[in-house]
Amino acid sequence: MSLTKISWADRVWNPLLGCTRVSDGCDSCYAISTVHRWAHSPNPTVAAAFGGLTEHRDGRLDWTGRVNLLPGRLEPLGVRKPQRWFVNSQADLFHEQVPLSHIQQVLAVVAAAPRHTFMVLTKRHARMAAVMRRRGLARAVWDIAADTRGAHPAADGWPLRNLWLGVSVEDQRWADIRIPALLDTPAAVRWISAEPLLAPIDLRPYLAAATGTETQPGLGRVAGHQPQLDWIVAGGESGPHARAMNPAWVRAVRDQALSTGTPFWFKQWGAWAPTGRHASTLSPRNTRELLAGPPLDAHGNREVIEHLGTTRAGDLLDGRIWQQLPVLGERSPAR
């Protein structure tokens, strides 16, 4: 069950379940319907794990605000082959209902499995920064790791080299709120997921200087040790009520990444994608087509995007797949 279709991860690990909406990026959260469906599983163990987390309220399915802790889920320890694990695809590790003791247990599994890479994504930027900077956290995590079943900690290091911490940023407002907190958080790799990308975002203040300055994940500029983003993931929204992503927005994010040598991963277009057609009129032909971006030529032609569905829309951006990953101690050259 831990295998995933998320392109940038090999597996998902959910040591807790449940969440709460906090910003516009949560409006079409796929996890709510997934959790609701599993809560009605005929398997009583599965139903209990997912139970009580969703409810119908104000005309839509939503979270109840409850979080179910699942400390017995230790799947990464039993997988020998190195994998990229997305931690909590159906929850937020730094949700206010998650006790510090459980966060420490999760981090202890990360410490006990250095062969794996663990990718955490949160919208609770403030709590993430506070917890990860907490005095005594490293000692507590390594003590738990030493007692964890199947644990073989290799070193008493901090921050954990196999833990990538990231924040979700759907627009400029949340980028300017969440990214500074992320950059103030100890991490081997700091990354963002601009998905769903709902508006243009200028990430240049948070990226390495475009002058060719060499940087290393977790350190930022080597000369000044000023943290910078190490990885950028972007994509559009999926689902029946998906909002359209303007192709110009994601191209701008890609170009900002490439100009600074920051690895870039385009996950998907989502439900809406360019069709390859242009139109000079400002009015869409029907409700399943939109006109996006600035004029493409002197005649005012604009790009047409269409509601294709996630599978048909795919993950090609300007004719190619963008799947770059950060490597500790390295930075891709600016292109």
Side-chain angles (χ1 to χ4, degrees):
M1 290 180 60
S2 65
L3 295 176
T4 179
K5 294 181 179 180
I6 297 173
S7 61
W8 43 261
D10 300 312
R11 295 173 179 263
V12 295
W13 175 40
N14 287 300
L16 61 122
L17 296 167
C19 201
T20 310
R21 300 179 199 257
V22 294
S23 64
D24 290 346
C26 302
D27 286 353
S28 297
C29 178
Y30 73 91
I32 298 175
S33 58
T34 301
V35 167
H36 183 75
R37 184 171 66 253
W38 281 109
H40 295 83
S41 169
N43 184 319
T45 301
V46 173
F50 288 87
L53 302 178
T54 62
E55 64 181 355
H56 284 92
R57 184 174 66 247
D58 299 329
R60 69 175 180 177
L61 187 65
D62 204 352
W63 299 110
T64 62
R66 170 177 160 179
V67 171
N68 291 345
L69 305 180
L70 305 170
R73 289 193 172 184
L74 302 173
E75 299 100 313
L77 298 180
V79 178
R80 293 182 178 275
K81 181 181 178 181
Q83 303 277 277
R84 295 193 303 269
W85 294 81
F86 177 27
V87 182
N88 294 318
S89 62
Q90 296 162 351
D92 190 324
L93 180 62
F94 297 102
H95 190 281
E96 56 272 16
Q97 296 299 320
V98 182
L100 176 62
S101 59
H102 192 74
I103 296 175
Q104 290 174 337
Q105 291 174 14
V106 171
L107 295 178
V109 172
V110 175
R115 62 190 176 278
H116 299 312
T117 297
F118 294 85
M119 306 147 98
V120 173
L121 193 59
T122 184
K123 289 185 174 71
R124 274 77 178 179
H125 53 282
R127 189 171 189 222
M128 173 191 64
V131 168
M132 298 306 296
R133 295 179 65 86
R134 186 183 180 91
R135 180 178 297 180
L137 177 66
R139 182 73 268 160
V141 167
W142 282 105
D143 286 347
I144 298 171
D147 296 330
T148 301
R149 174 171 59 87
H152 299 284
D156 196 5
W158 198 265
L160 298 170
R161 288 182 58 82
N162 60 332
L163 177 63
W164 298 9
L165 293 179
V167 293
S168 297
V169 293
E170 61 263 41
D171 55 28
Q172 192 68 53
R173 174 180 176 238
W174 286 110
D176 292 338
I177 291 174
R178 292 174 180 150
I179 294 177
L182 172 66
L183 298 183
D184 196 39
T185 302
V189 170
R190 300 177 181 89
W191 63 292
I192 66 162
S193 174
E195 183 193 13
L197 184 57
L198 302 178
I201 299 179
D202 184 0
L203 297 173
R204 289 174 294 181
Y206 312 114
L207 299 174
T211 58
T213 302
E214 289 297 321
T215 65
Q216 295 179 4
L219 291 179
R221 294 195 186 105
V222 174
H225 293 281
Q226 299 174 8
Q228 306 285 344
L229 293 176
D230 302 308
W231 187 37
I232 297 173
V233 175
E237 191 168 63
S238 57
H241 305 293
R243 292 159 286 186
M245 177 178 65
N246 191 320
W249 302 342
V250 72
R251 288 181 181 128
V253 169
R254 176 202 59 194
D255 293 346
Q256 292 167 38
L258 295 182
S259 68
T260 56
T262 306
F264 173 74
W265 191 291
F266 182 59
K267 181 171 176 282
Q268 62 177 16
W269 279 105
W272 295 83
T275 63
R277 296 187 294 109
H278 301 157
S280 58
T281 175
L282 295 179
S283 299
R285 297 200 311 164
N286 57 61
T287 58
R288 299 185 66 82
E289 293 181 344
L290 294 173
L291 300 175
L296 297 177
D297 58 32
H299 302 289
N301 287 318
R302 294 178 182 269
E303 194 167 22
V304 175
I305 57 175
E306 186 176 350
H307 194 285
L308 302 174
T310 305
T311 300
R312 287 181 60 201
D315 59 359
L316 290 178
L317 174 57
D318 291 337
R320 63 162 285 186
I321 292 176
W322 301 86
Q323 294 187 349
Q324 301 172 346
L325 286 167
V327 178
L328 286 174
E330 297 182 8
R331 170 70 73 172
S332 301
R335 288 182 289 165

